[in-house]
Amino acid sequence: MKNQGNIVGLGFCGHDYLCIVPRIPVDDKVQAVKTLEQGGGPSATGVCAAARLGAKVSFIGAVGDDQRGQQILEGLAREGIDTSGMKIRLAAESPVAYCWIEESTGKRSIAWSHGSVKPLLPEEVHLMSVREAGLLHLDGHQPQAAIYAAKAARESGTTVLLDAGTLTEGIDEIIELTDIIIASELFAERYTGSKEPEDSLKKLFGKNTKFAAVTMGNKGSIGYDGKNFYHQPIFKVEVVDTTGAGDVFHGAFGYKYVNGGNWQECLRFATAVSSLKCTKFGGRTGIPTLTETENFLKERV
């Protein structure tokens, strides 16, 4: 039986090594101000946000049988996320990301790797969880499995949301199968060839699209439903670290959508959750609860 409030994530899950630095060095050295390790990845962190807000969540991905793989699984489990759909590859190095955060601005630079973990195969996807969910959250990684899952989602009436941040193999087909696409400003520009967000949205909006949006950092976000544009400014907060802000935005948008929010409400809610995340060090550390988010929004009516 379908549960519209359930969310399934499928994509990249890794282990993040983060450090706050006085400046991001180029051919130089700096002393780290603060360091942290925790789970990361676009879809994985997105569904962590949905889980923190109260959604019932499962995640489908692949890790190695190394220490990082165990840490990734434990990080998801701590958020109450069902990891029964995860595949553990023997003698494989798990995905990883190295993140540098500039102390004065909170802006980050990231170098990441899939490790040596072989991608998920279509036959490894647990389709029952996809068909029974209200929303499938993709990030463009694990492309064969993502396309397979998205086709099953469309057949069963499960909404497909894409966090479009990386130009991955198969991204064209994934976009064609997507109901809601939320792209970073850089992805939108690279994919569509347009520097104007409104023009990018029109090009991203395909035959199966219900809603497209572009996130633009401190310029907020803009959405498009095929007829109308929706603008959402940022909320001013004391920014510590922007790592994971986009991932969290996507997860919060999906949570609000499956709980009946309209497009403008989804954008505003996601912006609030993402803003609160930025007040803490780490991609997942600052993800707020539903109560914290609602209180934050009440103060900004």
Side-chain angles (χ1 to χ4, degrees):
M1 180 180 293
K2 183 176 289 293
N3 187 325
Q4 293 296 340
N6 286 9
I7 294 174
V8 177
L10 188 157
F12 185 93
C13 57
H15 189 67
D16 287 358
Y17 295 91
L18 307 103
C19 62
I20 295 177
V21 291
R23 57 184 173 79
I24 297 175
V26 177
D27 195 26
D28 197 4
K29 299 177 183 179
V30 294
Q31 183 174 350
V33 176
K34 198 172 184 180
T35 63
L36 176 69
E37 291 183 41
Q38 63 181 204
S43 180
T45 297
V47 297
C48 280
R52 191 82 59 90
L53 291 164
K56 185 176 181 181
V57 174
S58 59
F59 188 79
I60 302 169
V63 296
D65 59 349
D66 55 356
Q67 183 180 4
R68 286 207 301 259
Q70 186 61 37
Q71 290 171 313
I72 292 166
L73 292 171
E74 289 174 354
L76 295 171
R78 278 195 298 271
E79 299 294 341
I81 294 172
D82 179 359
T83 59
S84 60
M86 293 288 294
K87 299 300 177 184
I88 301 174
R89 307 296 197 208
L90 299 179
E93 182 183 337
S94 295
V96 64
Y98 300 91
C99 314
W100 296 267
I101 298 98
E102 188 176 54
E103 185 178 25
S104 61
T105 64
K107 292 183 178 180
R108 86 290 184 269
S109 294
I110 299 173
W112 62 272
S113 169
H114 282 298
S116 60
V117 174
K118 291 183 179 179
L120 280 175
L121 298 172
E123 57 266 29
E124 293 180 306
V125 177
H126 185 235
L127 288 184
M128 186 64 71
S129 61
V130 173
R131 291 175 176 139
E132 292 179 350
L135 185 135
L136 172 64
H137 184 129
L138 304 175
D139 59 14
H141 296 273
Q142 308 287 1
Q144 290 184 35
I147 291 167
Y148 184 68
K151 288 179 178 178
R154 296 200 65 81
E155 290 171 358
S156 60
T158 299
T159 298
V160 180
L161 182 150
L162 174 63
D163 173 349
T166 305
L167 289 167
T168 56
E169 181 184 352
I171 195 66
D172 291 333
E173 189 170 356
I174 294 173
I175 289 175
E176 287 179 6
L177 294 164
T178 296
D179 298 289
I180 300 171
I181 176 171
I182 305 176
S184 67
E185 188 174 19
L186 185 58
F187 177 96
E189 181 180 331
R190 288 173 174 172
Y191 187 80
T192 67
S194 175
K195 293 185 177 182
E196 297 299 324
E198 291 189 357
D199 185 51
S200 294
L201 286 172
K202 289 180 179 179
K203 292 179 178 179
L204 286 170
F205 204 91
K207 63 180 181 179
N208 293 310
T209 312
K210 295 178 181 176
F211 188 74
V214 174
T215 56
M216 303 177 292
N218 60 14
K219 294 178 289 184
S221 58
I222 179 172
Y224 179 62
D225 65 3
K227 294 182 179 179
N228 303 304
F229 287 99
Y230 302 80
H231 298 265
Q232 177 60 51
I234 62 167
F235 293 108
K236 291 185 178 181
V237 295
E238 186 174 339
V239 175
V240 173
D241 178 16
T242 60
T243 304
D247 307 336
V248 169
F249 183 99
H250 292 82
F253 190 101
Y255 171 85
K256 188 65 174 178
Y257 174 78
V258 297
N259 283 281
N262 62 38
W263 301 130
Q264 192 68 62
E265 290 170 339
C266 289
L267 285 174
R268 186 169 186 267
F269 182 84
T271 301
V273 176
S274 179
S275 297
L276 285 166
K277 185 245 76 73
C278 290
T279 64
K280 299 287 180 64
F281 178 33
R284 298 181 185 175
T285 311
I287 300 172
T289 63
L290 180 59
T291 298
E292 289 170 335
T293 304
E294 289 176 338
N295 288 339
F296 179 86
L297 286 169
K298 286 177 183 176
E299 295 170 358
R300 288 157 179 81
V301 174

